[in-house]
Amino acid sequence: MNTLGPVIAYYDALCPMCRREMSHYSKFGEEYIRLEDCNAPDLAEDVDREAALAAMHVRLPSGEIVTGVAAFIAIWERLPGWKYLAMLTRPAIIRIPLDFIYRKLAPLRPRDNCRDGVCSVD
């Protein structure tokens, strides 16, 4: 059992890569991670949709929201078998450059346009 409590990951469910990664994490169970699509109309009021689409957002059990690579670290440190990755990426000398790269690449991710109503089937 995870004594730290679950995190809530606000992710872009219209991104196939994001869905695949979050699906993998969700297999550990809701006692570790809960998933929320940041495209959903009932997104938490304190989560900015555009910011959440630009970079991963995670709500910690304390209620604090972390973003970018810090969000991934928050997930990894709770998942069995992933704590070492969290430990390796937490030091600023690694985390800061990774976060810079992540924030540059995240907007380039693929998105399913048909799922968000942009196209239709005749």
mmCIF file of all heavy atoms in Angstrom, residues 45-69:
data_model
loop_
_atom_site.group_PDB
_atom_site.id
_atom_site.type_symbol
_atom_site.label_atom_id
_atom_site.label_comp_id
_atom_site.label_asym_id
_atom_site.label_seq_id
_atom_site.Cartn_x
_atom_site.Cartn_y
_atom_site.Cartn_z
ATOM 1 N N GLU A 45 -11.156 23.291 -11.014
ATOM 2 C CA GLU A 45 -11.132 24.739 -11.204
ATOM 3 C C GLU A 45 -9.747 25.356 -11.044
ATOM 4 O O GLU A 45 -9.450 26.373 -11.665
ATOM 5 C CB GLU A 45 -12.097 25.409 -10.229
ATOM 6 C CG GLU A 45 -13.547 25.186 -10.598
ATOM 7 C CD GLU A 45 -14.484 25.921 -9.659
ATOM 8 O OE1 GLU A 45 -14.055 26.851 -8.952
ATOM 9 O OE2 GLU A 45 -15.668 25.543 -9.646
ATOM 10 N N ASP A 46 -8.902 24.763 -10.214
ATOM 11 C CA ASP A 46 -7.581 25.338 -9.982
ATOM 12 C C ASP A 46 -6.519 24.818 -10.951
ATOM 13 O O ASP A 46 -5.336 25.103 -10.791
ATOM 14 C CB ASP A 46 -7.142 25.123 -8.534
ATOM 15 C CG ASP A 46 -6.979 23.653 -8.169
ATOM 16 O OD1 ASP A 46 -7.569 22.800 -8.856
ATOM 17 O OD2 ASP A 46 -6.279 23.374 -7.178
ATOM 18 N N VAL A 47 -6.943 24.085 -11.992
ATOM 19 C CA VAL A 47 -6.014 23.611 -13.015
ATOM 20 C C VAL A 47 -6.324 24.359 -14.309
ATOM 21 O O VAL A 47 -7.432 24.266 -14.836
ATOM 22 C CB VAL A 47 -6.140 22.082 -13.235
ATOM 23 C CG1 VAL A 47 -5.251 21.619 -14.378
ATOM 24 C CG2 VAL A 47 -5.804 21.339 -11.957
ATOM 25 N N ASP A 48 -5.367 25.109 -14.790
ATOM 26 C CA ASP A 48 -5.526 25.855 -16.033
ATOM 27 C C ASP A 48 -5.388 24.892 -17.218
ATOM 28 O O ASP A 48 -4.359 24.247 -17.372
ATOM 29 C CB ASP A 48 -4.468 26.952 -16.103
ATOM 30 C CG ASP A 48 -4.552 27.741 -17.386
ATOM 31 O OD1 ASP A 48 -5.356 28.691 -17.445
ATOM 32 O OD2 ASP A 48 -3.824 27.389 -18.337
ATOM 33 N N ARG A 49 -6.444 24.792 -18.007
ATOM 34 C CA ARG A 49 -6.479 23.833 -19.121
ATOM 35 C C ARG A 49 -5.314 24.044 -20.097
ATOM 36 O O ARG A 49 -4.631 23.105 -20.474
ATOM 37 C CB ARG A 49 -7.803 23.931 -19.866
ATOM 38 C CG ARG A 49 -7.974 22.897 -20.959
ATOM 39 C CD ARG A 49 -9.320 22.990 -21.669
ATOM 40 N NE ARG A 49 -10.450 23.232 -20.798
ATOM 41 C CZ ARG A 49 -11.051 22.293 -20.057
ATOM 42 N NH1 ARG A 49 -10.634 21.055 -20.105
ATOM 43 N NH2 ARG A 49 -12.084 22.602 -19.293
ATOM 44 N N GLU A 50 -5.078 25.268 -20.508
ATOM 45 C CA GLU A 50 -4.004 25.533 -21.475
ATOM 46 C C GLU A 50 -2.636 25.184 -20.898
ATOM 47 O O GLU A 50 -1.787 24.621 -21.587
ATOM 48 C CB GLU A 50 -4.050 26.989 -21.954
ATOM 49 C CG GLU A 50 -5.274 27.318 -22.775
ATOM 50 C CD GLU A 50 -5.486 26.370 -23.960
ATOM 51 O OE1 GLU A 50 -4.523 26.111 -24.704
ATOM 52 O OE2 GLU A 50 -6.614 25.875 -24.125
ATOM 53 N N ALA A 51 -2.425 25.505 -19.634
ATOM 54 C CA ALA A 51 -1.152 25.167 -18.980
ATOM 55 C C ALA A 51 -1.003 23.656 -18.868
ATOM 56 O O ALA A 51 0.083 23.108 -19.083
ATOM 57 C CB ALA A 51 -1.074 25.822 -17.605
ATOM 58 N N ALA A 52 -2.113 22.961 -18.545
ATOM 59 C CA ALA A 52 -2.066 21.498 -18.416
ATOM 60 C C ALA A 52 -1.841 20.838 -19.773
ATOM 61 O O ALA A 52 -1.239 19.766 -19.841
ATOM 62 C CB ALA A 52 -3.351 20.989 -17.776
ATOM 63 N N LEU A 53 -2.318 21.462 -20.851
ATOM 64 C CA LEU A 53 -2.052 20.924 -22.183
ATOM 65 C C LEU A 53 -0.614 21.189 -22.615
ATOM 66 O O LEU A 53 -0.054 20.455 -23.415
ATOM 67 C CB LEU A 53 -3.031 21.516 -23.209
ATOM 68 C CG LEU A 53 -4.449 20.978 -23.128
ATOM 69 C CD1 LEU A 53 -5.382 21.810 -24.000
ATOM 70 C CD2 LEU A 53 -4.496 19.511 -23.538
ATOM 71 N N ALA A 54 -0.015 22.230 -22.073
ATOM 72 C CA ALA A 54 1.363 22.570 -22.429
ATOM 73 C C ALA A 54 2.382 21.705 -21.695
ATOM 74 O O ALA A 54 3.466 21.439 -22.220
ATOM 75 C CB ALA A 54 1.629 24.046 -22.136
ATOM 76 N N ALA A 55 2.048 21.261 -20.486
ATOM 77 C CA ALA A 55 2.975 20.446 -19.694
ATOM 78 C C ALA A 55 2.180 19.631 -18.676
ATOM 79 O O ALA A 55 1.177 20.103 -18.147
ATOM 80 C CB ALA A 55 3.983 21.326 -18.956
ATOM 81 N N MET A 56 2.655 18.438 -18.416
ATOM 82 C CA MET A 56 2.017 17.545 -17.448
ATOM 83 C C MET A 56 1.847 18.244 -16.110
ATOM 84 O O MET A 56 2.745 18.950 -15.649
ATOM 85 C CB MET A 56 2.882 16.308 -17.276
ATOM 86 C CG MET A 56 2.450 15.427 -16.159
ATOM 87 S SD MET A 56 0.982 14.556 -16.565
ATOM 88 C CE MET A 56 1.689 12.992 -16.889
ATOM 89 N N HIS A 57 0.674 18.071 -15.502
ATOM 90 C CA HIS A 57 0.375 18.591 -14.170
ATOM 91 C C HIS A 57 0.012 17.413 -13.270
ATOM 92 O O HIS A 57 -0.719 16.515 -13.701
ATOM 93 C CB HIS A 57 -0.810 19.552 -14.210
ATOM 94 C CG HIS A 57 -0.487 20.928 -14.681
ATOM 95 N ND1 HIS A 57 0.209 21.185 -15.842
ATOM 96 C CD2 HIS A 57 -0.774 22.124 -14.138
ATOM 97 C CE1 HIS A 57 0.335 22.486 -15.989
ATOM 98 N NE2 HIS A 57 -0.255 23.080 -14.970
ATOM 99 N N VAL A 58 0.502 17.431 -12.047
ATOM 100 C CA VAL A 58 0.178 16.390 -11.069
ATOM 101 C C VAL A 58 -0.164 17.056 -9.743
ATOM 102 O O VAL A 58 0.554 17.948 -9.281
ATOM 103 C CB VAL A 58 1.366 15.407 -10.888
ATOM 104 C CG1 VAL A 58 1.198 14.564 -9.636
ATOM 105 C CG2 VAL A 58 1.513 14.516 -12.105
ATOM 106 N N ARG A 59 -1.282 16.618 -9.175
ATOM 107 C CA ARG A 59 -1.670 17.083 -7.844
ATOM 108 C C ARG A 59 -1.136 16.072 -6.836
ATOM 109 O O ARG A 59 -1.448 14.884 -6.895
ATOM 110 C CB ARG A 59 -3.186 17.199 -7.713
ATOM 111 C CG ARG A 59 -3.629 17.755 -6.362
ATOM 112 C CD ARG A 59 -5.140 17.837 -6.219
ATOM 113 N NE ARG A 59 -5.782 18.508 -7.338
ATOM 114 C CZ ARG A 59 -5.914 19.835 -7.452
ATOM 115 N NH1 ARG A 59 -5.430 20.625 -6.518
ATOM 116 N NH2 ARG A 59 -6.530 20.364 -8.501
ATOM 117 N N LEU A 60 -0.339 16.564 -5.902
ATOM 118 C CA LEU A 60 0.202 15.730 -4.832
ATOM 119 C C LEU A 60 -0.878 15.489 -3.777
ATOM 120 O O LEU A 60 -1.865 16.229 -3.719
ATOM 121 C CB LEU A 60 1.409 16.423 -4.201
ATOM 122 C CG LEU A 60 2.551 16.772 -5.152
ATOM 123 C CD1 LEU A 60 3.644 17.533 -4.413
ATOM 124 C CD2 LEU A 60 3.101 15.536 -5.822
ATOM 125 N N PRO A 61 -0.711 14.486 -2.934
ATOM 126 C CA PRO A 61 -1.693 14.245 -1.872
ATOM 127 C C PRO A 61 -1.927 15.471 -0.985
ATOM 128 O O PRO A 61 -3.013 15.661 -0.456
ATOM 129 C CB PRO A 61 -1.090 13.092 -1.078
ATOM 130 C CG PRO A 61 -0.238 12.373 -2.066
ATOM 131 C CD PRO A 61 0.324 13.451 -2.966
ATOM 132 N N SER A 62 -0.939 16.339 -0.866
ATOM 133 C CA SER A 62 -1.071 17.561 -0.065
ATOM 134 C C SER A 62 -1.953 18.610 -0.731
ATOM 135 O O SER A 62 -2.336 19.595 -0.100
ATOM 136 C CB SER A 62 0.308 18.168 0.187
ATOM 137 O OG SER A 62 0.853 18.648 -1.053
ATOM 138 N N GLY A 63 -2.255 18.412 -2.028
ATOM 139 C CA GLY A 63 -3.034 19.386 -2.784
ATOM 140 C C GLY A 63 -2.177 20.261 -3.677
ATOM 141 O O GLY A 63 -2.684 20.928 -4.576
ATOM 142 N N GLU A 64 -0.880 20.286 -3.427
ATOM 143 C CA GLU A 64 0.045 21.071 -4.255
ATOM 144 C C GLU A 64 0.079 20.501 -5.668
ATOM 145 O O GLU A 64 0.012 19.286 -5.860
ATOM 146 C CB GLU A 64 1.447 21.030 -3.637
ATOM 147 C CG GLU A 64 2.500 21.727 -4.459
ATOM 148 C CD GLU A 64 3.909 21.539 -3.927
ATOM 149 O OE1 GLU A 64 4.089 20.826 -2.916
ATOM 150 O OE2 GLU A 64 4.834 22.086 -4.540
ATOM 151 N N ILE A 65 0.206 21.383 -6.668
ATOM 152 C CA ILE A 65 0.311 20.954 -8.055
ATOM 153 C C ILE A 65 1.733 21.206 -8.537
ATOM 154 O O ILE A 65 2.276 22.300 -8.364
ATOM 155 C CB ILE A 65 -0.705 21.694 -8.945
ATOM 156 C CG1 ILE A 65 -2.124 21.302 -8.538
ATOM 157 C CG2 ILE A 65 -0.460 21.371 -10.420
ATOM 158 C CD1 ILE A 65 -3.219 22.014 -9.280
ATOM 159 N N VAL A 66 2.338 20.170 -9.111
ATOM 160 C CA VAL A 66 3.662 20.286 -9.704
ATOM 161 C C VAL A 66 3.526 20.037 -11.202
ATOM 162 O O VAL A 66 2.609 19.350 -11.643
ATOM 163 C CB VAL A 66 4.683 19.325 -9.058
ATOM 164 C CG1 VAL A 66 4.941 19.709 -7.611
ATOM 165 C CG2 VAL A 66 4.228 17.886 -9.146
ATOM 166 N N THR A 67 4.448 20.598 -11.986
ATOM 167 C CA THR A 67 4.343 20.511 -13.437
ATOM 168 C C THR A 67 5.651 20.046 -14.060
ATOM 169 O O THR A 67 6.700 20.039 -13.416
ATOM 170 C CB THR A 67 3.971 21.879 -14.044
ATOM 171 O OG1 THR A 67 5.044 22.791 -13.828
ATOM 172 C CG2 THR A 67 2.697 22.421 -13.447
ATOM 173 N N GLY A 68 5.558 19.670 -15.340
ATOM 174 C CA GLY A 68 6.743 19.292 -16.096
ATOM 175 C C GLY A 68 7.396 18.039 -15.558
ATOM 176 O O GLY A 68 6.727 17.094 -15.124
ATOM 177 N N VAL A 69 8.714 18.035 -15.559
ATOM 178 C CA VAL A 69 9.469 16.866 -15.101
ATOM 179 C C VAL A 69 9.191 16.586 -13.626
ATOM 180 O O VAL A 69 9.128 15.434 -13.218
ATOM 181 C CB VAL A 69 10.975 17.031 -15.387
ATOM 182 C CG1 VAL A 69 11.798 15.969 -14.696
ATOM 183 C CG2 VAL A 69 11.228 16.980 -16.897
#
